[in-house]
Amino acid sequence: MWGALTLGVSVVGSPGYTQAPDRWVTFHHDYARTGRSARPGPFGLSLLRWKRPAVSDTEPYGAITSSPAIGRDGSIYVSGRVQDAGNVSTVLAKFSPQGDLIWRKSLGSGQTDSSPSLTSNDTLVIGTGLLGDSPNSWGVMSVEPVEGKTNWVSFFINARVVSTPAFSRDETRVYAGARDGYLYALGVNNGGSLAWPEPQQVGAIIDSSAAVGPDGTVYVGAQGESESGRLAAFTPEGFPRWSVATKGGVEAAPTLGTNAVYFGSSQGQVYALDLQTGDELWVNSDFVGSAIFGTVALGPDGTLYVGNENNQLCAFNPADGSLKWIFNTGSATDYTGQPIPPGPVFSSPAVGGDGTIYFGCDNGWVYALYPDGKLRSRYSIGSAVSSSPAIGPDGTLYVGAFDGFLYAFNPALLYGDINDDGVVNVGDVSMALALTVNPGRVLPGVLKVGDVAPKRADGSFGDGALNVVDAIRILRYITRLVPALP
């Protein structure tokens, strides 16, 4: 995929190759699973652009546990499961950036949490449900993007595919792990037939989505027996390079940095292994007993972000694995000042170009954090969110939820909305006055939306501080003495 693209941005801290245009083509952004876009996401999460039932238009609307992928034209692809008379089926849907449903496609019966992956021309592949009467009719499906027609279905896989497939660098192969513990390589140009001499067994179960390095090496995690796990690397031709046993299963996708591969385990450890040799660089065991099921995201400075079962989003130093900070999901309050109940973080975080970290939580909230771990914004969906957010080309943030809806958060700033509740009112005036006497509490994002005065004749505004003149101008806007902010 990467070799076919020429216009783009270099992603700091990723394995050294350039992707372009910078778009969210698979689970966790790219096939190195970095979880980071060069484009900033929304400043706050109070401006919901739209929400749509993704897999069914009738109640109950199903559930979305997969993560969105975004096409060249900004279209959003997402899968989810629906239940009818006790029968579960999986559906893939395509939406326009404006929230219009373009098509829906059945992916068979049974549940799969696989997310769609895109090539450079937006051809999709995704793990399917059961597509036949045989218990071995799980597969991987290739879909053309315009009308959702099936290109091919590969039935060479002998178990359910929960993982998200990955494309090889030249887009001639698809790598998919299955719940029989094997990693499969499928040929894109010959109907999904086996592209390796034989599938490679990694463990007892593979739920981990494979990552692909700059030299084509394929990395994947697995679960073993008795709380054990494994992270393995294979050449593009399907031969083992190295394999490392872990304490706890590896259910999340590995994340590739410049020289290291990072991942968490079901026992709560965070690992860093050498990309080339698999040698252990460090292991953080601060959270043993708190399972990690999400994929590590890389910040612009290389900081590692990942959530755990103990209601936390944690940041780690990439050099030695030391803990930088912890955000407890129950430490925030809602818009009325009431405490938000804590919840585990199964959602894999996404990082915007300005370093903002976005993630969902089982307590039904979506969070945005500053790079230092302070709360930037939050939004109550009211239904568990294990989907990983995706950032669109215009900065819109997309995420699915267990209520079956796909949510789109507007990237536009709402000037004057200092408390980020989605409206400009006297609460913002009060907060501006309170922060005027406590300038040390003024975070950069708050300054960005609150510094609306003075307004000059040339259209420029602001003086680099949040003070009384800003509060007065916001009050004048509320009372309609000024027509607009800024």
Side-chain angles (χ1 to χ4, degrees):
M1 171 178 184
W2 301 279
L5 304 171
T6 56
L7 301 173
V9 293
S10 179
V11 181
V12 179
S14 65
Y17 51 77
T18 298
Q19 283 186 246
D22 182 68
R23 53 188 186 96
W24 212 279
V25 296
T26 185
F27 164 70
H28 233 220
H29 183 268
D30 50 65
Y31 295 111
R33 311 294 180 189
T34 62
R36 186 177 69 248
S37 173
R39 304 183 189 281
F43 162 72
L45 299 175
S46 57
L47 296 178
L48 185 66
R49 186 176 183 185
W50 50 259
K51 72 173 190 176
R52 300 287 188 272
V55 293
S56 173
D57 287 325
T58 58
E59 293 189 66
Y61 296 109
I64 299 175
T65 54
S66 73
S67 303
I70 300 171
R72 293 182 299 176
D73 61 355
S75 295
I76 307 100
Y77 302 87
V78 67
S79 65
R81 61 180 184 266
V82 293
Q83 190 164 348
D84 182 23
N87 298 315
V88 176
S89 59
T90 301
V91 175
L92 174 68
K94 176 181 180 179
F95 289 87
S96 74
Q98 294 74 38
D100 300 318
L101 176 65
I102 299 174
W103 51 254
R104 284 194 182 109
K105 180 180 185 64
S106 173
L107 298 178
S109 62
Q111 174 187 340
T112 175
D113 298 322
S114 182
S115 301
S117 292
L118 307 177
T119 65
S120 53
N121 67 358
D122 283 357
T123 298
L124 290 86
V125 291
I126 189 168
T128 71
L130 281 164
L131 290 169
D133 297 329
S134 167
N136 290 332
S137 61
W138 300 96
V140 168
M141 181 182 292
S142 171
V143 179
E144 64 84 24
V146 178
E147 298 179 354
K149 295 179 179 178
T150 301
N151 292 323
W152 49 259
V153 180
S154 177
F155 291 113
F156 291 95
I157 297 176
N158 296 320
R160 183 155 61 107
V161 177
V162 172
S163 66
T164 297
F167 283 98
S168 63
R169 289 172 55 86
D170 60 5
E171 299 184 344
T172 62
R173 291 184 299 278
V174 171
Y175 304 114
R179 304 214 87 210
D180 59 0
Y182 284 84
L183 178 66
Y184 295 80
L186 308 174
V188 171
N189 300 321
N190 53 2
S193 61
L194 293 177
W196 282 352
E198 58 183 3
Q200 293 290 328
Q201 186 169 17
V202 183
I205 297 173
I206 297 180
D207 288 343
S208 168
S209 302
V212 182
D215 62 353
T217 299
V218 187
Y219 303 83
V220 71
Q223 304 165 57
E225 304 292 344
S226 302
E227 297 296 319
S228 66
R230 188 163 295 277
L231 198 288
F234 299 90
T235 68
E237 297 76 27
F239 300 107
R241 287 192 62 179
W242 52 259
S243 181
V244 174
T246 60
K247 295 179 180 179
V250 183
E251 297 192 29
T255 299
L256 308 186
T258 304
N259 300 305
V261 52
Y262 307 102
F263 59 95
S265 79
S266 62
Q267 285 194 8
Q269 293 97 335
V270 178
Y271 289 81
L273 307 180
D274 185 276
L275 272 181
Q276 302 300 319
T277 64
D279 292 340
E280 183 180 296
L281 301 178
W282 53 257
V283 178
N284 182 294
S285 299
D286 292 345
F287 301 95
V288 169
S290 181
I292 297 173
F293 298 116
T295 296
V296 173
L298 297 181
D301 63 353
T303 298
L304 314 178
Y305 305 106
V306 70
N308 62 36
E309 201 175 32
N310 198 30
N311 314 325
Q312 298 167 327
L313 193 287
C314 303
F316 301 91
N317 286 299
D320 58 8
S322 58
L323 182 68
K324 295 183 73 170
W325 51 256
I326 299 172
F327 176 83
N328 290 294
T329 57
S331 63
T333 59
D334 65 16
Y335 302 127
T336 67
Q338 296 301 309
I340 295 173
V345 180
F346 301 128
S347 170
S348 299
V351 183
D354 61 353
T356 301
I357 307 122
Y358 305 93
F359 66 97
C361 182
D362 240 31
N363 64 5
W365 287 74
V366 179
Y367 295 87
L369 306 183
Y370 289 100
D372 62 0
K374 292 184 173 66
L375 179 67
R376 178 171 183 169
S377 184
R378 67 273 191 256
Y379 182 89
S380 176
I381 284 178
S383 181
V385 181
S386 61
S387 170
S388 178
I391 299 171
D394 64 350
T396 300
L397 187 80
Y398 302 99
V399 68
F402 268 77
D403 61 4
F405 282 78
L406 177 66
Y407 290 78
F409 294 92
N410 199 317
L413 297 180
L414 184 58
Y415 286 100
D417 184 19
I418 298 175
N419 63 8
D420 190 39
D421 63 358
V423 293
V424 180
N425 54 27
V426 293
D428 299 298
V429 178
S430 299
M431 190 168 182
L433 292 173
L435 291 175
T436 295
V437 297
N438 292 283
R441 295 178 57 198
V442 180
L443 299 172
V446 172
L447 181 63
K448 190 172 184 178
V449 297
D451 185 18
V452 295
K455 181 71 177 287
R456 305 177 186 88
D458 63 359
S460 62
F461 63 94
D463 57 7
L466 189 66
N467 48 41
V468 174
V469 295
D470 299 302
I472 293 173
R473 190 150 194 275
I474 293 170
L475 181 61
R476 286 172 60 82
Y477 168 74
I478 294 169
T479 56
R480 302 184 185 279
L481 294 177
V482 297
L485 291 177

